[in-house]
Amino acid sequence: MSQDKRVAFVTGGNRGIGYELVKQLASKGFKVILASRDPKMGHEAAEKLKESGLDVSFVMMDVDDQESIRQAAITVNEKYGRLDVLINNAGVYLNEYEKLLTMDPSILEKTMRTNFFGAYHVIHSFIPLMEKQGYGRIINVSSEHGAMRDMSFQGAGAYKLSKLALNGMTQLVAAEIKGDIKINAVCPGWVSSDMGGPSAPRTPKQAAESILWLATIGSEGPHGGFFRDGKRIDW
């Protein structure tokens, strides 16, 4: 792997956990690309971090739009020619209490499109940048709601299924990729954010710290695992 400055890419990076991930990665010496579907919010978030002396740039990307993802990957390749860390953080939580069979099916479709297919298309488009240097760290921000044991309890059906699928994809991709490229899933816990609400006990900073250790693990580090606070949890 080249000794040049490492490059990281964070989806949904303009607020909450994503913003903290960008900030902390940049503080650790990464060149960080903050991806957001909202050009105004994304640009403002990146500029705020740059004013603090952090090496952050903004790329507009909507994980629901495959062409947007493809163009973002082209931009990263042309500007930097490499990608060392990819964090799939963007996600939605649209049905806190609704049952799977009584909700509007469009809720399930939207949730799967963002939380699962969005992450899939991002990995599919960006992993060639990792493969060409034989190195990379991919982190999927998931949830313990996506553990198989949680499927026995009703509620949040669309969200649970999307994270279950994301966890399954993490394992499948781990079985397929070669070289020193590692992929893992992480549950950040219940976080005070637009998604988690103000009553959540964890801050975005705490959540980001629990995720970032996987960005810098060595070749002996975990691969294809599911973690919370640095501890492996059951799928």
Side-chain angles (χ1 to χ4, degrees), residues 216-231:
T216 56
I217 54 173
S219 58
E220 74 289 346
H223 181 47
F226 187 20
F227 298 89
R228 177 169 177 174
D229 294 328
K231 298 179 180 179

Side-chain angles (χ1 to χ4, degrees), residues 197-208:
S199 300
R202 307 194 80 184
T203 65
K205 182 178 180 180
Q206 290 171 322

Side-chain angles (χ1 to χ4, degrees), residues 42-54:
H43 179 74
E44 289 177 351
E47 286 300 310
K48 183 178 179 180
L49 292 170
K50 287 169 70 175
E51 289 171 3
S52 300
L54 298 176

Side-chain angles (χ1 to χ4, degrees), residues 48-219:
K48 183 178 179 180
L49 292 170
K50 287 169 70 175
E51 289 171 3
S52 300
L54 298 176
D55 192 355
V56 176
S57 62
F58 165 66
V59 169
M60 196 204 73
M61 189 185 78
D62 184 350
V63 298
D64 289 357
D65 183 339
Q66 291 183 47
E67 181 58 22
S68 171
I69 295 170
R70 192 181 74 84
Q71 289 298 327
I74 290 172
T75 297
V76 172
N77 186 41
E78 290 178 346
K79 283 190 174 182
Y80 310 107
R82 64 184 292 167
L83 184 64
D84 301 281
V85 173
L86 170 62
I87 302 183
N88 280 309
N89 167 72
V92 295
Y93 185 31
L94 304 176
N95 68 316
E96 185 173 359
Y97 301 111
E98 293 187 67
K99 296 179 181 178
L100 185 65
L101 295 180
T102 55
M103 75 173 72
D104 186 326
S106 67
I107 294 175
L108 175 60
E109 292 165 3
K110 166 65 177 174
T111 303
M112 292 296 293
R113 189 164 63 246
T114 301
N115 294 359
F116 172 69
F117 284 106
Y120 167 78
H121 289 300
V122 169
I123 293 172
H124 186 268
S125 292
F126 280 87
I127 202 167
L129 283 166
M130 295 180 168
E131 290 175 331
K132 76 177 184 179
Q133 66 180 4
Y135 176 90
R137 300 291 181 261
I138 303 170
I139 304 162
N140 291 329
V141 179
S142 186
S143 169
E144 285 192 82
H145 280 311
M148 182 59 72
R149 64 178 181 275
D150 223 53
M151 300 305 122
S152 299
F153 305 96
Q154 69 178 35
Y159 183 77
K160 287 179 177 179
L161 283 177
S162 71
K163 294 302 186 178
L164 177 67
L166 181 65
N167 290 345
M169 179 178 66
T170 300
Q171 291 182 288
L172 282 168
V173 172
E176 294 181 3
I177 55 180
K178 302 185 184 304
D180 189 13
I181 302 175
K182 294 185 177 296
I183 182 170
N184 292 283
V186 179
C187 172
W190 185 18
V191 181
S192 179
S193 62
D194 288 352
M195 182 183 291
S199 300
R202 307 194 80 184
T203 65
K205 182 178 180 180
Q206 290 171 322
E209 289 171 348
S210 74
I211 294 168
L212 282 180
W213 68 280
L214 286 169
T216 56
I217 54 173
S219 58

